[in-house]
Amino acid sequence: MTKITAAITGVSGYVPDYVLTNKELETMVETNDEWIVSRTGIRERRILKGEGIGTSFIGIKAVQDLLAKTNTRAEEVDLLICATTTPDMVFPATANIICEAVGAVNAFGYDLQAACSGFIFALATGARFIETGRYKKVIIVGADKMSSIINYKDRTTCIIFGDGGGAVMLEPNTEGLGILDDILKSDGSGAAYLNMKAGGSRYPATAETVARNEHSVFQEGTTVFKFAVKGMADVAAEVMDRNNLTGDDIAWLVPHQANKRIIDATASRMNVGSDKVMMNIDRYGNTTSGTIPLCLWDYESQLKKGDNVVLAAFGGGFTWGSIYLKWAYDTVQN
Ligand code: UT7
């Protein structure tokens, strides 16, 4: 029997219009453009403004565009997984809200939370549904409205994060293209260094938790940085070794966009030149589950059928992972 792999057959993205520049952040906290650019590579990030608008807004925009680009009727979608750390509500799942809004009436949907590794975890999970042969069209969304959980008085976190996301279509492939390998890892001891303490079942919201700013991201930056540099590079190197790939074989590295210095360290460990590294951190900052689909969206026209692509991410949990895939299509230039 021919082996079925799960191939990405379309990509889309969405970023909100509002641009929060480093200059504007200088008016909000004690920071400066030079520090932010040199320590992170970020120049600006997008912010989703408007009352009562959550992560689903980003996901809906991305999925509507994806359906149009791939000539897919919403009723054809079998499954939609939404990777997010900022769901619209604790429940129901944001995936269900997206399915309802786009008319994916035959799909089942659920959310997957793996912080900044969310998109990679969701992509690997979605691929398994395709590989069984039972599901034909699976959409993976990675989206976050990070501004909803950021304390804009904390200069150690508010300069990093932004809002945005994207979506990919997964379909069966029998030409040996698509997702060929993945390595996913987690280590719960990382919870102490990157978390949002309140709002869950352990510390439900009270006036006190709000007053103590426990509904926003806490990060011990330097500790996370050290784990991220090692974790992301190790797992990307492992996926390369396992598939007998050298830096020369890789057409594109698609890294989670948390810090340009972490991305550079990963590329250097993989022996991949900077011209083969997708990077848009300067424009969008860290959109958590959104970074990798937003990179694929930005660079889609440069990807070619058969390209060896390595995705890599590290995030809260800790969670980290890498996916090796062969790109499945050439973009038709309009
Ligand atoms: O995506 C999920 C996983 N997250 C990550 O991968 C993020 C990993 N961590 C990082 O990217 C970096 O640790 C940060 C960008 C968060 C911080 O960079 P850093 O080089 O680790 O800085 P630091 O925390 O060691 O701080 C260095 C100095 C400190 O001042 P002193 O103690 O040397 O006087 C900070 O108080 O920089 C100061 N500082 C700032 N200065 C200007 C911290 N934040 C700022 C700021 N503007 N925004």
Side-chain angles (χ1 to χ4, degrees), residues 30-32 35-36 39-40 116 155-156 159-161 194 219 221-222 224-225 228 256 258-259 261-262 286 314-316:
E30 185 64 41
T31 191
N32 58 80
W35 191 94
I36 301 173
R39 304 308 291 169
T40 69
C116 293
R155 69 174 182 173
T156 68
I159 54 129
I160 299 169
F161 293 97
L194 183 49
Q219 175 170 252
T222 38
V224 178
F225 185 90
H256 169 54
N259 187 316
R261 290 183 289 144
I262 300 173
N286 181 350
F314 185 94

PDB file of all heavy atoms in Angstrom, residues 30-32 35-36 39-40 116 155-156 159-161 194 219 221-222 224-225 228 256 258-259 261-262 286 314-316, ligand 1:
ATOM      1  N   GLU A  30      10.194  52.089  30.793  1.00  0.00           N
ATOM      2  CA  GLU A  30      11.585  52.542  30.724  1.00  0.00           C
ATOM      3  C   GLU A  30      12.358  51.592  29.788  1.00  0.00           C
ATOM      4  O   GLU A  30      12.853  50.550  30.216  1.00  0.00           O
ATOM      5  CB  GLU A  30      12.151  52.490  32.151  1.00  0.00           C
ATOM      6  CG  GLU A  30      13.556  53.028  32.327  1.00  0.00           C
ATOM      7  CD  GLU A  30      13.667  54.512  32.026  1.00  0.00           C
ATOM      8  OE1 GLU A  30      12.771  55.269  32.421  1.00  0.00           O
ATOM      9  OE2 GLU A  30      14.657  54.889  31.375  1.00  0.00           O
ATOM     10  N   THR A  31      12.385  51.942  28.523  1.00  0.00           N
ATOM     11  CA  THR A  31      13.093  51.106  27.554  1.00  0.00           C
ATOM     12  C   THR A  31      13.534  51.987  26.394  1.00  0.00           C
ATOM     13  O   THR A  31      13.276  53.200  26.396  1.00  0.00           O
ATOM     14  CB  THR A  31      12.197  49.947  27.047  1.00  0.00           C
ATOM     15  OG1 THR A  31      13.001  49.008  26.312  1.00  0.00           O
ATOM     16  CG2 THR A  31      11.062  50.429  26.157  1.00  0.00           C
ATOM     17  N   ASN A  32      14.216  51.412  25.428  1.00  0.00           N
ATOM     18  CA  ASN A  32      14.593  52.207  24.253  1.00  0.00           C
ATOM     19  C   ASN A  32      14.769  51.285  23.048  1.00  0.00           C
ATOM     20  O   ASN A  32      15.051  50.089  23.191  1.00  0.00           O
ATOM     21  CB  ASN A  32      15.862  53.036  24.521  1.00  0.00           C
ATOM     22  CG  ASN A  32      17.024  52.152  24.903  1.00  0.00           C
ATOM     23  OD1 ASN A  32      17.657  51.552  24.032  1.00  0.00           O
ATOM     24  ND2 ASN A  32      17.298  52.043  26.199  1.00  0.00           N
ATOM     25  N   TRP A  35      17.989  49.130  22.753  1.00  0.00           N
ATOM     26  CA  TRP A  35      18.026  47.935  23.615  1.00  0.00           C
ATOM     27  C   TRP A  35      17.159  46.840  23.012  1.00  0.00           C
ATOM     28  O   TRP A  35      17.589  45.688  22.886  1.00  0.00           O
ATOM     29  CB  TRP A  35      17.538  48.264  25.044  1.00  0.00           C
ATOM     30  CG  TRP A  35      17.806  47.153  26.025  1.00  0.00           C
ATOM     31  CD1 TRP A  35      18.888  47.043  26.845  1.00  0.00           C
ATOM     32  CD2 TRP A  35      17.002  45.971  26.255  1.00  0.00           C
ATOM     33  NE1 TRP A  35      18.810  45.868  27.577  1.00  0.00           N
ATOM     34  CE2 TRP A  35      17.660  45.197  27.231  1.00  0.00           C
ATOM     35  CE3 TRP A  35      15.805  45.495  25.729  1.00  0.00           C
ATOM     36  CZ2 TRP A  35      17.159  43.986  27.705  1.00  0.00           C
ATOM     37  CZ3 TRP A  35      15.309  44.275  26.190  1.00  0.00           C
ATOM     38  CH2 TRP A  35      15.978  43.529  27.165  1.00  0.00           C
ATOM     39  N   ILE A  36      15.941  47.202  22.631  1.00  0.00           N
ATOM     40  CA  ILE A  36      15.006  46.172  22.140  1.00  0.00           C
ATOM     41  C   ILE A  36      15.555  45.519  20.864  1.00  0.00           C
ATOM     42  O   ILE A  36      15.560  44.290  20.737  1.00  0.00           O
ATOM     43  CB  ILE A  36      13.595  46.762  21.878  1.00  0.00           C
ATOM     44  CG1 ILE A  36      13.022  47.373  23.156  1.00  0.00           C
ATOM     45  CG2 ILE A  36      12.660  45.678  21.352  1.00  0.00           C
ATOM     46  CD1 ILE A  36      11.702  48.123  22.963  1.00  0.00           C
ATOM     47  N   ARG A  39      18.807  43.381  21.702  1.00  0.00           N
ATOM     48  CA  ARG A  39      18.609  42.201  22.552  1.00  0.00           C
ATOM     49  C   ARG A  39      17.627  41.196  21.968  1.00  0.00           C
ATOM     50  O   ARG A  39      17.632  40.027  22.327  1.00  0.00           O
ATOM     51  CB  ARG A  39      18.117  42.589  23.964  1.00  0.00           C
ATOM     52  CG  ARG A  39      18.978  43.569  24.720  1.00  0.00           C
ATOM     53  CD  ARG A  39      20.417  43.173  24.795  1.00  0.00           C
ATOM     54  NE  ARG A  39      20.678  42.021  25.629  1.00  0.00           N
ATOM     55  CZ  ARG A  39      21.831  41.384  25.680  1.00  0.00           C
ATOM     56  NH1 ARG A  39      22.841  41.777  24.932  1.00  0.00           N
ATOM     57  NH2 ARG A  39      21.988  40.347  26.470  1.00  0.00           N
ATOM     58  N   THR A  40      16.707  41.688  21.059  1.00  0.00           N
ATOM     59  CA  THR A  40      15.660  40.769  20.569  1.00  0.00           C
ATOM     60  C   THR A  40      15.508  40.741  19.053  1.00  0.00           C
ATOM     61  O   THR A  40      14.980  39.773  18.511  1.00  0.00           O
ATOM     62  CB  THR A  40      14.271  41.153  21.140  1.00  0.00           C
ATOM     63  OG1 THR A  40      13.859  42.396  20.544  1.00  0.00           O
ATOM     64  CG2 THR A  40      14.292  41.294  22.645  1.00  0.00           C
ATOM     65  N   CYS A 116       4.549  28.484  23.055  1.00  0.00           N
ATOM     66  CA  CYS A 116       5.184  28.876  21.782  1.00  0.00           C
ATOM     67  C   CYS A 116       5.451  27.694  20.848  1.00  0.00           C
ATOM     68  O   CYS A 116       5.753  27.897  19.678  1.00  0.00           O
ATOM     69  CB  CYS A 116       6.473  29.645  22.054  1.00  0.00           C
ATOM     70  SG  CYS A 116       6.135  31.230  22.823  1.00  0.00           S
ATOM     71  N   ARG A 155       8.426  45.890  31.517  1.00  0.00           N
ATOM     72  CA  ARG A 155       9.268  46.059  30.315  1.00  0.00           C
ATOM     73  C   ARG A 155       9.961  44.773  29.888  1.00  0.00           C
ATOM     74  O   ARG A 155      10.456  44.658  28.768  1.00  0.00           O
ATOM     75  CB  ARG A 155      10.312  47.148  30.546  1.00  0.00           C
ATOM     76  CG  ARG A 155      11.395  46.782  31.546  1.00  0.00           C
ATOM     77  CD  ARG A 155      12.457  47.841  31.611  1.00  0.00           C
ATOM     78  NE  ARG A 155      13.518  47.471  32.533  1.00  0.00           N
ATOM     79  CZ  ARG A 155      14.627  48.137  32.691  1.00  0.00           C
ATOM     80  NH1 ARG A 155      14.830  49.248  31.986  1.00  0.00           N
ATOM     81  NH2 ARG A 155      15.547  47.744  33.525  1.00  0.00           N
ATOM     82  N   THR A 156      10.031  43.795  30.790  1.00  0.00           N
ATOM     83  CA  THR A 156      10.722  42.554  30.414  1.00  0.00           C
ATOM     84  C   THR A 156       9.858  41.675  29.511  1.00  0.00           C
ATOM     85  O   THR A 156      10.363  40.782  28.848  1.00  0.00           O
ATOM     86  CB  THR A 156      11.171  41.739  31.648  1.00  0.00           C
ATOM     87  OG1 THR A 156      10.019  41.249  32.327  1.00  0.00           O
ATOM     88  CG2 THR A 156      12.005  42.570  32.598  1.00  0.00           C
ATOM     89  N   ILE A 159       7.713  44.234  25.626  1.00  0.00           N
ATOM     90  CA  ILE A 159       8.425  44.582  24.394  1.00  0.00           C
ATOM     91  C   ILE A 159       8.497  43.402  23.416  1.00  0.00           C
ATOM     92  O   ILE A 159       8.805  43.572  22.241  1.00  0.00           O
ATOM     93  CB  ILE A 159       9.862  45.048  24.720  1.00  0.00           C
ATOM     94  CG1 ILE A 159      10.589  43.979  25.557  1.00  0.00           C
ATOM     95  CG2 ILE A 159       9.859  46.371  25.459  1.00  0.00           C
ATOM     96  CD1 ILE A 159      11.907  43.616  25.024  1.00  0.00           C
ATOM     97  N   ILE A 160       8.239  42.205  23.923  1.00  0.00           N
ATOM     98  CA  ILE A 160       8.487  41.003  23.115  1.00  0.00           C
ATOM     99  C   ILE A 160       7.276  40.581  22.281  1.00  0.00           C
ATOM    100  O   ILE A 160       7.413  40.206  21.127  1.00  0.00           O
ATOM    101  CB  ILE A 160       8.861  39.818  24.050  1.00  0.00           C
ATOM    102  CG1 ILE A 160      10.127  40.135  24.835  1.00  0.00           C
ATOM    103  CG2 ILE A 160       9.032  38.531  23.256  1.00  0.00           C
ATOM    104  CD1 ILE A 160      10.407  39.139  25.954  1.00  0.00           C
ATOM    105  N   PHE A 161       6.091  40.630  22.919  1.00  0.00           N
ATOM    106  CA  PHE A 161       4.956  39.915  22.325  1.00  0.00           C
ATOM    107  C   PHE A 161       4.083  40.777  21.425  1.00  0.00           C
ATOM    108  O   PHE A 161       4.001  42.001  21.588  1.00  0.00           O
ATOM    109  CB  PHE A 161       4.108  39.293  23.436  1.00  0.00           C
ATOM    110  CG  PHE A 161       4.822  38.192  24.165  1.00  0.00           C
ATOM    111  CD1 PHE A 161       5.475  38.440  25.371  1.00  0.00           C
ATOM    112  CD2 PHE A 161       4.878  36.918  23.632  1.00  0.00           C
ATOM    113  CE1 PHE A 161       6.154  37.429  26.041  1.00  0.00           C
ATOM    114  CE2 PHE A 161       5.550  35.899  24.297  1.00  0.00           C
ATOM    115  CZ  PHE A 161       6.190  36.148  25.506  1.00  0.00           C
ATOM    116  N   LEU A 194       8.169  30.453  33.238  1.00  0.00           N
ATOM    117  CA  LEU A 194       7.347  31.087  32.203  1.00  0.00           C
ATOM    118  C   LEU A 194       5.912  30.626  32.430  1.00  0.00           C
ATOM    119  O   LEU A 194       5.597  29.453  32.209  1.00  0.00           O
ATOM    120  CB  LEU A 194       7.866  30.667  30.816  1.00  0.00           C
ATOM    121  CG  LEU A 194       7.224  31.257  29.568  1.00  0.00           C
ATOM    122  CD1 LEU A 194       7.106  32.761  29.646  1.00  0.00           C
ATOM    123  CD2 LEU A 194       8.030  30.861  28.331  1.00  0.00           C
ATOM    124  N   GLN A 219       7.811  35.944  33.070  1.00  0.00           N
ATOM    125  CA  GLN A 219       8.931  35.230  32.441  1.00  0.00           C
ATOM    126  C   GLN A 219      10.245  35.590  33.115  1.00  0.00           C
ATOM    127  O   GLN A 219      10.553  36.765  33.301  1.00  0.00           O
ATOM    128  CB  GLN A 219       9.025  35.575  30.957  1.00  0.00           C
ATOM    129  CG  GLN A 219      10.257  34.943  30.293  1.00  0.00           C
ATOM    130  CD  GLN A 219      10.278  35.060  28.789  1.00  0.00           C
ATOM    131  OE1 GLN A 219      10.078  34.092  28.085  1.00  0.00           O
ATOM    132  NE2 GLN A 219      10.518  36.265  28.300  1.00  0.00           N
ATOM    133  N   GLY A 221      13.408  35.807  32.043  1.00  0.00           N
ATOM    134  CA  GLY A 221      13.932  35.843  30.685  1.00  0.00           C
ATOM    135  C   GLY A 221      15.246  35.126  30.461  1.00  0.00           C
ATOM    136  O   GLY A 221      15.376  34.328  29.517  1.00  0.00           O
ATOM    137  N   THR A 222      16.217  35.370  31.335  1.00  0.00           N
ATOM    138  CA  THR A 222      17.548  34.806  31.074  1.00  0.00           C
ATOM    139  C   THR A 222      17.544  33.278  31.203  1.00  0.00           C
ATOM    140  O   THR A 222      18.219  32.580  30.441  1.00  0.00           O
ATOM    141  CB  THR A 222      18.610  35.396  32.029  1.00  0.00           C
ATOM    142  OG1 THR A 222      18.027  35.560  33.310  1.00  0.00           O
ATOM    143  CG2 THR A 222      19.110  36.728  31.559  1.00  0.00           C
ATOM    144  N   VAL A 224      14.891  31.302  30.664  1.00  0.00           N
ATOM    145  CA  VAL A 224      14.186  30.768  29.486  1.00  0.00           C
ATOM    146  C   VAL A 224      15.108  30.853  28.269  1.00  0.00           C
ATOM    147  O   VAL A 224      15.160  29.918  27.454  1.00  0.00           O
ATOM    148  CB  VAL A 224      12.868  31.547  29.236  1.00  0.00           C
ATOM    149  CG1 VAL A 224      12.171  31.029  27.983  1.00  0.00           C
ATOM    150  CG2 VAL A 224      11.945  31.431  30.441  1.00  0.00           C
ATOM    151  N   PHE A 225      15.841  31.941  28.163  1.00  0.00           N
ATOM    152  CA  PHE A 225      16.754  32.134  27.035  1.00  0.00           C
ATOM    153  C   PHE A 225      17.745  30.976  26.939  1.00  0.00           C
ATOM    154  O   PHE A 225      17.942  30.382  25.871  1.00  0.00           O
ATOM    155  CB  PHE A 225      17.490  33.473  27.195  1.00  0.00           C
ATOM    156  CG  PHE A 225      18.368  33.818  26.034  1.00  0.00           C
ATOM    157  CD1 PHE A 225      17.871  34.542  24.962  1.00  0.00           C
ATOM    158  CD2 PHE A 225      19.701  33.426  25.999  1.00  0.00           C
ATOM    159  CE1 PHE A 225      18.677  34.863  23.874  1.00  0.00           C
ATOM    160  CE2 PHE A 225      20.516  33.734  24.926  1.00  0.00           C
ATOM    161  CZ  PHE A 225      20.005  34.460  23.855  1.00  0.00           C
ATOM    162  N   ALA A 228      16.044  27.841  25.884  1.00  0.00           N
ATOM    163  CA  ALA A 228      15.551  27.953  24.508  1.00  0.00           C
ATOM    164  C   ALA A 228      16.686  27.751  23.509  1.00  0.00           C
ATOM    165  O   ALA A 228      16.540  27.023  22.515  1.00  0.00           O
ATOM    166  CB  ALA A 228      14.877  29.305  24.293  1.00  0.00           C
ATOM    167  N   HIS A 256      10.618  29.366  15.453  1.00  0.00           N
ATOM    168  CA  HIS A 256       9.755  30.212  16.281  1.00  0.00           C
ATOM    169  C   HIS A 256      10.469  31.546  16.502  1.00  0.00           C
ATOM    170  O   HIS A 256      11.677  31.586  16.701  1.00  0.00           O
ATOM    171  CB  HIS A 256       9.496  29.509  17.616  1.00  0.00           C
ATOM    172  CG  HIS A 256       8.847  30.385  18.622  1.00  0.00           C
ATOM    173  ND1 HIS A 256       7.677  31.055  18.375  1.00  0.00           N
ATOM    174  CD2 HIS A 256       9.213  30.729  19.890  1.00  0.00           C
ATOM    175  CE1 HIS A 256       7.337  31.769  19.437  1.00  0.00           C
ATOM    176  NE2 HIS A 256       8.264  31.589  20.372  1.00  0.00           N
ATOM    177  N   ALA A 258      11.100  34.112  18.798  1.00  0.00           N
ATOM    178  CA  ALA A 258      11.067  34.605  20.185  1.00  0.00           C
ATOM    179  C   ALA A 258      12.142  35.645  20.408  1.00  0.00           C
ATOM    180  O   ALA A 258      11.944  36.612  21.140  1.00  0.00           O
ATOM    181  CB  ALA A 258      11.263  33.455  21.162  1.00  0.00           C
ATOM    182  N   ASN A 259      13.282  35.426  19.777  1.00  0.00           N
ATOM    183  CA  ASN A 259      14.427  36.316  19.973  1.00  0.00           C
ATOM    184  C   ASN A 259      15.408  36.020  18.835  1.00  0.00           C
ATOM    185  O   ASN A 259      15.753  34.858  18.606  1.00  0.00           O
ATOM    186  CB  ASN A 259      15.076  36.019  21.341  1.00  0.00           C
ATOM    187  CG  ASN A 259      16.158  37.020  21.675  1.00  0.00           C
ATOM    188  OD1 ASN A 259      16.988  37.366  20.833  1.00  0.00           O
ATOM    189  ND2 ASN A 259      16.158  37.490  22.907  1.00  0.00           N
ATOM    190  N   ARG A 261      18.449  36.334  18.642  1.00  0.00           N
ATOM    191  CA  ARG A 261      19.682  35.666  19.085  1.00  0.00           C
ATOM    192  C   ARG A 261      19.477  34.153  19.226  1.00  0.00           C
ATOM    193  O   ARG A 261      20.391  33.363  18.973  1.00  0.00           O
ATOM    194  CB  ARG A 261      20.152  36.272  20.411  1.00  0.00           C
ATOM    195  CG  ARG A 261      20.673  37.716  20.250  1.00  0.00           C
ATOM    196  CD  ARG A 261      21.189  38.264  21.556  1.00  0.00           C
ATOM    197  NE  ARG A 261      20.136  38.529  22.500  1.00  0.00           N
ATOM    198  CZ  ARG A 261      20.223  38.347  23.824  1.00  0.00           C
ATOM    199  NH1 ARG A 261      21.332  37.877  24.360  1.00  0.00           N
ATOM    200  NH2 ARG A 261      19.212  38.648  24.610  1.00  0.00           N
ATOM    201  N   ILE A 262      18.264  33.739  19.628  1.00  0.00           N
ATOM    202  CA  ILE A 262      17.968  32.297  19.728  1.00  0.00           C
ATOM    203  C   ILE A 262      17.910  31.696  18.315  1.00  0.00           C
ATOM    204  O   ILE A 262      18.426  30.602  18.060  1.00  0.00           O
ATOM    205  CB  ILE A 262      16.626  32.052  20.466  1.00  0.00           C
ATOM    206  CG1 ILE A 262      16.676  32.623  21.889  1.00  0.00           C
ATOM    207  CG2 ILE A 262      16.288  30.554  20.486  1.00  0.00           C
ATOM    208  CD1 ILE A 262      15.338  32.586  22.638  1.00  0.00           C
ATOM    209  N   ASN A 286       6.968  38.372  18.960  1.00  0.00           N
ATOM    210  CA  ASN A 286       6.652  36.977  19.281  1.00  0.00           C
ATOM    211  C   ASN A 286       5.135  36.826  19.397  1.00  0.00           C
ATOM    212  O   ASN A 286       4.541  37.294  20.366  1.00  0.00           O
ATOM    213  CB  ASN A 286       7.348  36.608  20.597  1.00  0.00           C
ATOM    214  CG  ASN A 286       7.106  35.165  21.001  1.00  0.00           C
ATOM    215  OD1 ASN A 286       6.283  34.477  20.418  1.00  0.00           O
ATOM    216  ND2 ASN A 286       7.817  34.713  22.019  1.00  0.00           N
ATOM    217  N   PHE A 314      10.496  26.611  20.650  1.00  0.00           N
ATOM    218  CA  PHE A 314      10.690  26.399  22.089  1.00  0.00           C
ATOM    219  C   PHE A 314       9.740  27.331  22.816  1.00  0.00           C
ATOM    220  O   PHE A 314       9.588  28.483  22.413  1.00  0.00           O
ATOM    221  CB  PHE A 314      12.135  26.719  22.511  1.00  0.00           C
ATOM    222  CG  PHE A 314      12.397  26.394  23.950  1.00  0.00           C
ATOM    223  CD1 PHE A 314      12.926  25.157  24.311  1.00  0.00           C
ATOM    224  CD2 PHE A 314      12.070  27.301  24.962  1.00  0.00           C
ATOM    225  CE1 PHE A 314      13.136  24.834  25.644  1.00  0.00           C
ATOM    226  CE2 PHE A 314      12.277  26.978  26.303  1.00  0.00           C
ATOM    227  CZ  PHE A 314      12.815  25.741  26.645  1.00  0.00           C
ATOM    228  N   GLY A 315       9.134  26.852  23.889  1.00  0.00           N
ATOM    229  CA  GLY A 315       8.235  27.746  24.608  1.00  0.00           C
ATOM    230  C   GLY A 315       7.878  27.278  25.995  1.00  0.00           C
ATOM    231  O   GLY A 315       8.444  26.324  26.533  1.00  0.00           O
ATOM    232  N   GLY A 316       6.910  27.968  26.582  1.00  0.00           N
ATOM    233  CA  GLY A 316       6.470  27.708  27.947  1.00  0.00           C
ATOM    234  C   GLY A 316       6.060  26.262  28.140  1.00  0.00           C
ATOM    235  O   GLY A 316       5.553  25.601  27.240  1.00  0.00           O
TER     236      GLY A 316
HETATM  237  O1  UT7 B   1       8.810  32.430  23.204  1.00  0.00           O
HETATM  238  C1  UT7 B   1       8.784  31.670  24.348  1.00  0.00           C
HETATM  239  C2  UT7 B   1      10.075  31.545  25.010  1.00  0.00           C
HETATM  240  N1  UT7 B   1      10.629  32.827  25.370  1.00  0.00           N
HETATM  241  C3  UT7 B   1      11.851  33.127  24.968  1.00  0.00           C
HETATM  242  O2  UT7 B   1      12.457  32.376  24.264  1.00  0.00           O
HETATM  243  C4  UT7 B   1      12.442  34.415  25.487  1.00  0.00           C
HETATM  244  C5  UT7 B   1      13.807  34.148  26.063  1.00  0.00           C
HETATM  245  N2  UT7 B   1      14.419  35.286  26.707  1.00  0.00           N
HETATM  246  C6  UT7 B   1      14.806  36.405  26.036  1.00  0.00           C
HETATM  247  O3  UT7 B   1      14.564  36.529  24.858  1.00  0.00           O
HETATM  248  C7  UT7 B   1      15.623  37.431  26.780  1.00  0.00           C
HETATM  249  O4  UT7 B   1      16.005  36.894  28.018  1.00  0.00           O
HETATM  250  C8  UT7 B   1      14.908  38.790  27.007  1.00  0.00           C
HETATM  251  C9  UT7 B   1      14.739  39.512  25.682  1.00  0.00           C
HETATM  252  C10 UT7 B   1      13.570  38.559  27.684  1.00  0.00           C
HETATM  253  C11 UT7 B   1      15.772  39.664  27.906  1.00  0.00           C
HETATM  254  O5  UT7 B   1      17.069  39.821  27.334  1.00  0.00           O
HETATM  255  P1  UT7 B   1      18.360  39.542  28.218  1.00  0.00           P
HETATM  256  O6  UT7 B   1      19.496  39.816  27.345  1.00  0.00           O
HETATM  257  O7  UT7 B   1      18.248  38.170  28.801  1.00  0.00           O
HETATM  258  O8  UT7 B   1      18.268  40.671  29.311  1.00  0.00           O
HETATM  259  P2  UT7 B   1      18.286  40.535  30.893  1.00  0.00           P
HETATM  260  O9  UT7 B   1      16.941  40.082  31.363  1.00  0.00           O
HETATM  261  O10 UT7 B   1      19.471  39.784  31.329  1.00  0.00           O
HETATM  262  O11 UT7 B   1      18.469  42.047  31.291  1.00  0.00           O
HETATM  263  C12 UT7 B   1      19.665  42.763  30.995  1.00  0.00           C
HETATM  264  C13 UT7 B   1      19.496  44.199  31.496  1.00  0.00           C
HETATM  265  C14 UT7 B   1      18.979  44.282  32.913  1.00  0.00           C
HETATM  266  O12 UT7 B   1      19.564  45.410  33.515  1.00  0.00           O
HETATM  267  P3  UT7 B   1      20.811  45.268  34.504  1.00  0.00           P
HETATM  268  O13 UT7 B   1      20.357  44.365  35.601  1.00  0.00           O
HETATM  269  O14 UT7 B   1      21.917  44.649  33.656  1.00  0.00           O
HETATM  270  O15 UT7 B   1      21.089  46.667  34.922  1.00  0.00           O
HETATM  271  C15 UT7 B   1      17.503  44.542  32.729  1.00  0.00           C
HETATM  272  O16 UT7 B   1      16.940  45.213  33.830  1.00  0.00           O
HETATM  273  O17 UT7 B   1      18.540  44.844  30.673  1.00  0.00           O
HETATM  274  C16 UT7 B   1      17.499  45.404  31.484  1.00  0.00           C
HETATM  275  N3  UT7 B   1      16.247  45.340  30.754  1.00  0.00           N
HETATM  276  C17 UT7 B   1      15.853  46.281  29.898  1.00  0.00           C
HETATM  277  N4  UT7 B   1      16.403  47.451  29.515  1.00  0.00           N
HETATM  278  C18 UT7 B   1      15.745  48.185  28.602  1.00  0.00           C
HETATM  279  C19 UT7 B   1      15.323  44.336  30.768  1.00  0.00           C
HETATM  280  N5  UT7 B   1      14.323  44.629  29.920  1.00  0.00           N
HETATM  281  C20 UT7 B   1      14.633  45.837  29.382  1.00  0.00           C
HETATM  282  C21 UT7 B   1      13.979  46.662  28.439  1.00  0.00           C
HETATM  283  N6  UT7 B   1      14.568  47.819  28.082  1.00  0.00           N
HETATM  284  N7  UT7 B   1      12.808  46.306  27.871  1.00  0.00           N
END
